[in-house]
Amino acid sequence: MPAHILVAGGGIGGLATALALAGGGHRVDVFEQAAAFGDIGAGVQLGPNVTRRLSQLGLENSLARVAAQPEALVVRSAGSGAEIGRLALGAAMRQRYGAPYLCIHRADLHGLLLDAVRARGTGALVTGAQIERVELSDELVCVSSSDARAWEGEAVVGADGLWSVVRRRLDAASAGQPPRITGHTAWRALARQDALPPALRRGGVEVWLGPQLHAVAYPVRAGEWLNVVVIAESAPAGNAHDWDQASSLAALQAAAGRTGASLQALLEAMPGWRAWSLSDRPPLVSAAEMAHERLALVGDAAHPMVPYLAQGAGMAIEDAVALSEALGEGGSDAVPAAFARYAAARWQRNAQVQAKARRNGQIFHASGPVRLGRDLAMRALGERLLDQPWLYGG
């Protein structure tokens, strides 16, 4: 008999997990604390390691309709605007890794996953369910919500993000330890390309590096919109739990200072800004931090990371497919061993991505001699530094 699995969290990781497990014939109930399924934020970069998994989930054609496929990633100086390095994407990524490099709006990706889960129709989608308690026995799990509702199943997957309640049940030792506030703040803005001056429109991924800051711009929504993100080393703004704080260009500039003319023109052209404080946890050190018996974690619940490798959503999607592959069509009796195999297969890769994302933050935001050395190396080696075979081919 297929297993009955409860998934806490209806974001990208939770829905990808539900879709992958439903493909193995399992009944999967998803619990979302918000009143409706949806996502906030703007753009997501999907490397070929991620688009390959989404293709496994049957989303290749749907992705092609709503995502943008950039032809190149270009790295520039935030001061002068001069090109420092370049990585070919487009056909080069397909040829090298067998899958495309795509940019997509978070809401579009979330919508594709939600539609696919609904089409499967193998479980319940429950909204307004803020899970606050998880109980485990030898053969069953029970989750209960803040409004005194409860549900029973044979396994529970925590996809409930950075401030995961399910994680506290798995990892009692860190139950009272909040995520690390990094001291970095991100601002994002979104604009229609046809509303921008032609010189500011972008068809590829562009990255600007400056002391204590960097900016990224890339197309989403089939190339019709432009997503811009600026991350600066500044005091956290507002509530660290809030991923969607109202902000402004003035607040951004107060934290990051003025950039060079070309980047400054783009920032000033964007119609509105939202902000959030970046947090993470130390890289994983064992499989025990991802699963035990009938409980497993995916995505930020297990391994929250800073966005300097553009792989937060990607690792959650990889987790989802790996969890499904570990369980296969196994029933309730197979769950503990399958979850252990999943954690053993995933924890080291996730830890490596967490660590490299932290390291990238130091490199991106470098100043002085380190910045000069970075730029010289990038100009000399180009694609050899920017490509990530260990990541995209993994």
Side-chain angles (χ1 to χ4, degrees):
M1 294 289 290
H4 179 194
I5 301 170
L6 312 180
V7 176
I12 288 171
L15 291 178
T17 299
L19 182 59
L21 290 170
H26 302 289
R27 174 184 168 185
V28 187
D29 298 335
V30 182
F31 303 92
E32 167 57 38
Q33 66 177 351
F37 282 92
D39 207 338
I40 60 173
V44 179
Q45 297 182 65
L46 302 174
N49 58 305
V50 189
T51 57
R52 193 160 51 246
R53 268 69 172 193
L54 291 170
S55 180
Q56 285 180 251
L57 296 177
L59 298 179
E60 182 174 7
N61 293 335
S62 300
L63 278 172
R65 289 193 292 270
V66 299
Q69 184 170 317
E71 290 299 318
L73 181 153
V74 179
V75 182
R76 301 183 181 277
S77 164
S80 68
E83 182 174 320
I84 301 171
R86 178 181 292 261
L87 172 66
L89 301 176
M93 283 282 132
R94 285 185 177 273
Q95 181 177 4
R96 192 173 301 152
Y97 298 113
Y101 192 109
L102 301 178
C103 299
I104 190 170
H105 194 288
R106 289 188 69 93
D108 292 342
L109 176 57
H110 187 271
L112 293 181
L113 290 166
L114 182 59
D115 289 346
V117 170
R118 283 174 169 157
R120 287 277 186 182
T122 57
L125 294 170
V126 184
T127 57
Q130 184 174 353
I131 302 303
E132 66 174 19
R133 190 174 181 86
V134 179
E135 297 295 334
L136 306 175
S137 69
D138 290 343
E139 298 181 354
L140 296 173
V141 302
C142 180
V143 301
S144 55
S145 63
S146 57
D147 58 356
R149 289 179 291 168
W151 299 266
E152 191 175 79
E154 294 162 336
V156 61
V157 177
D160 48 344
L162 177 67
W163 307 92
S164 172
V165 171
V166 181
R167 179 192 179 100
R168 296 204 298 265
R169 183 63 178 81
L170 173 69
D171 185 11
S174 69
Q177 299 177 9
R180 179 187 73 132
I181 307 299
T182 65
H184 295 195
T185 299
W187 287 264
R188 66 174 181 269
L190 195 67
R192 287 193 62 90
Q193 297 257 34
D194 58 14
L196 297 172
L200 298 182
R201 299 170 191 172
R202 298 290 187 272
V205 181
E206 295 208 19
V207 181
W208 293 264
L209 305 181
Q212 285 79 54
L213 71 92
H214 81 284
V216 186
Y218 52 85
V220 295
R221 296 198 154 158
E224 295 180 358
W225 290 73
L226 185 67
N227 179 66
V228 178
V229 177
V230 181
I231 302 178
E233 297 180 19
S234 69
N239 185 348
H241 290 254
D242 187 355
W243 292 72
D244 193 30
Q245 304 169 30
S247 192
S248 65
L249 178 61
L252 189 165
Q253 290 178 331
R258 293 184 64 86
T259 62
S262 60
L263 176 55
Q264 188 65 34
L266 177 61
L267 301 184
E268 291 176 354
M270 300 307 289
W273 292 92
R274 312 294 292 182
W276 77 102
S277 301
L278 301 185
S279 301
D280 69 356
R281 288 186 183 273
L284 297 167
V285 297
S286 74
E289 293 180 83
M290 288 195 67
H292 181 69
E293 297 297 336
R294 295 182 177 274
L295 188 155
L297 302 177
V298 300
D300 284 352
H303 43 75
M305 58 188 69
V306 287
Y308 300 129
L309 205 53
Q311 284 287 326
M315 289 300 104
I317 292 166
E318 282 194 11
D319 287 347
V321 175
L323 185 64
S324 173
E325 290 175 344
L327 183 57
E329 298 181 357
S332 175
D333 291 346
V335 166
F339 280 12
R341 288 194 300 272
Y342 155 74
R346 289 296 302 162
W347 79 268
Q348 289 176 304
R349 177 167 170 84
N350 285 320
Q352 184 179 20
V353 174
Q354 286 178 287
K356 286 187 176 291
R358 281 188 173 186
R359 176 60 176 159
N360 271 6
Q362 298 172 352
I363 295 171
F364 288 0
H365 293 186
S367 59
V370 176
R371 177 183 64 84
L372 295 175
R374 175 201 68 198
D375 292 356
L376 286 171
M378 199 171 291
R379 287 190 176 102
L381 299 175
E383 291 201 358
R384 291 175 59 186
L385 284 182
L386 293 173
D387 197 6
Q388 307 286 336
W390 67 272
L391 176 62
Y392 298 147

